[in-house]
Amino acid sequence: MTYRVREDISMGNAADVRIDPATSPPTIAFSAHPHGGPEALWFHFRIERDPDASPPGNQVRLLLRHYLSLAYTHPDMTANIRPVIRTPASDWRRLEAPQRIDLPDGQIDLAWTIAAPPPGGSLEIALCPPYGPQEVEQLIADTTGYWHADPIGVTPAGRPLTRLSNRYSSPSDQTKSPNTPGLYMIARQHAGETPGSWVLDGLLRALAHAGDRSPLTWIIPLADLDAVLQGDYGKDRFPYDLNRAWGHPPMRHESLVIQRDMRRWAQRCTPILALDFHAPGPCEDTGLYCYPPDEKESPKLRDKVDPWLTRFREVLGEYAAENFARTGNYRSRWETPTFCDFAGHEFNCPAIAIETCYALADHGRIVLTPHHYQEIGRRLAQAILAHQPQI
Ligand SMILES: [Zn+2]
């Protein structure tokens, strides 16, 4: 076989791979693997080409099958599905809009014709640039010791679950000087939602740059670490969606561990803000938007959140969706509390879930790269630094 597909890589995901070298150009068909969950969306794999590849050919056709079976897809929005590719020599690059293939039975497949890797070479394809432990390590290295990494427990599979922090402070510091503002952030409760991680990455780089001016900040960068590493999409993943597992008692070991960590954090600061980073459905192209607490259910919390929404919208400019503050009224498989519910009710802390599109913003006028996501994070940091209570 001229080509080989490897999904057994970190954060890898592909199902039902079929390689047809007889088409012109050769076709590599694949589906997103649900990995046992009800929803599928994330994919990420490497294509390797034989060193003595024949026929020679310089193109390959990627075929994403069963588009309408993917999470939150719409038949009229296929053009918004814009995966990324990279070679060992180049950084992630977003593909153009796909060719839409309407099958006689009503299904839709999506195709892209791309440059083939050279004989003996490889390329990676993913829904969105992956972000995992290696990127967290890079962030720590680039910010020269500003962020400490500590395990706060283990995941259900027994891996250490890491929390980053800029300083620990102590409960007695808070007693003496009760105006230490505190920020707690979490990303990847849904493992495949990597735009959220890239935004958080940019935010943390900006807070590191601000040094002592930054609030006491504790972060869980990869909350569902097991799912991240095994390449799950993770939204509504079984046995229990992590972002619905925040009640008393918590329904996942990760939320149990993080709840206890948040209590330690809250003893050391005055919680001013909690942020939870996600990505919406893959067709969304309007820009970044938020889920604040419902104003009917939690009017007091909503009053505390609204000024943050105004500030964020202002700094985000062209990256913000017109419909910026939305109500999470879509049907959920679990109606139990979210991370934001927990932060709000337990610490009276304004808490916001932030949704960053996979590929596009400003109705497609901005094609998002990691650089854009990091810029969004930098702008959020700018708003936090400008509006935190004075220490
Ligand atoms: Zn999510």
Side-chain angles (χ1 to χ4, degrees), residues 189-190 193 233 235 243 277-280 330 355:
Q189 294 204 74
H190 301 139
E193 296 175 357
Y233 170 41
K235 171 71 179 162
N243 197 30
F277 292 90
H278 292 260
Y330 57 88
E355 303 275 351

Side-chain angles (χ1 to χ4, degrees), residues 68-202:
L68 293 175
S69 299
L70 300 179
Y72 315 110
T73 47
H74 189 282
D76 296 338
M77 299 179 89
T78 55
N80 291 356
I81 306 299
R82 306 280 297 272
V84 291
I85 59 170
R86 76 171 172 188
T87 67
S90 70
D91 209 349
W92 292 107
R93 173 174 77 75
R94 226 169 251 292
L95 298 178
E96 297 297 318
Q99 179 198 356
R100 168 187 169 140
I101 299 156
D102 286 273
L103 304 181
D105 64 357
Q107 294 197 70
I108 297 173
D109 290 349
L110 306 180
W112 297 265
T113 299
I114 60 168
S122 67
L123 67 81
E124 273 178 88
I125 174 165
L127 174 68
C128 199
Y131 189 104
Q134 217 180 323
E135 284 72 25
V136 175
E137 288 300 320
Q138 191 63 51
L139 164 75
I140 293 170
D142 291 348
T143 47
T144 55
Y146 184 79
W147 298 109
H148 313 281
D150 294 293
I152 55 165
V154 296
T155 67
R159 299 183 176 99
L161 183 64
T162 298
R163 179 248 292 129
L164 305 181
S165 61
N166 55 354
R167 49 188 183 272
Y168 301 128
S169 188
S170 78
S172 58
D173 293 345
Q174 180 64 358
T175 317
K176 281 180 264 167
S177 164
N179 292 319
T180 302
L183 173 64
Y184 204 101
M185 297 187 285
I186 185 170
R188 306 295 281 286
Q189 294 204 74
H190 301 139
E193 296 175 357
T194 65
S197 279
W198 287 105
V199 170
L200 177 61
D201 186 281

Side-chain angles (χ1 to χ4, degrees), residues 182-339:
L183 173 64
Y184 204 101
M185 297 187 285
I186 185 170
R188 306 295 281 286
Q189 294 204 74
H190 301 139
E193 296 175 357
T194 65
S197 279
W198 287 105
V199 170
L200 177 61
D201 186 281
L203 201 164
L204 296 182
R205 286 170 192 270
L207 292 185
H209 187 70
D212 291 344
R213 290 193 297 117
S214 294
L216 177 78
T217 306
W218 291 18
I219 313 105
I220 308 293
L222 302 169
D224 194 349
L225 178 63
D226 295 335
V228 167
L229 292 176
Q230 65 207 24
D232 295 355
Y233 170 41
K235 171 71 179 162
D236 283 6
R237 99 170 173 104
F238 285 163
Y240 212 96
D241 186 313
L242 182 50
N243 197 30
R244 295 294 183 281
W246 292 85
H248 298 285
M251 291 300 287
R252 286 268 299 251
H253 190 63
E254 297 94 332
S255 47
L256 180 151
V257 163
I258 300 167
Q259 283 183 350
R260 290 176 188 180
D261 193 56
M262 291 179 80
R263 292 191 184 110
R264 289 188 286 270
W265 162 79
Q267 285 172 354
R268 290 162 162 77
C269 67
T270 301
I272 59 160
L273 186 62
L275 297 177
D276 178 18
F277 292 90
H278 292 260
C283 298
E284 183 74 45
D285 65 356
T286 55
L288 185 146
Y289 64 92
C290 301
Y291 287 122
D294 187 275
E295 50 196 346
K296 289 195 195 79
E297 282 174 23
S298 314
K300 284 186 182 151
L301 272 173
R302 181 58 186 264
D303 285 348
K304 294 179 85 167
V305 163
D306 278 342
W308 285 112
L309 296 178
T310 305
R311 292 159 194 157
F312 286 161
R313 187 174 195 158
E314 198 176 289
V315 292
L316 286 168
E318 69 276 23
Y319 293 108
E322 293 92 349
N323 183 7
F324 187 65
R326 303 189 190 181
T327 313
N329 57 2
Y330 57 88
R331 286 282 283 269
S332 176
R333 291 182 171 89
W334 294 271
E335 299 296 342
T336 38
T338 64
F339 166 86

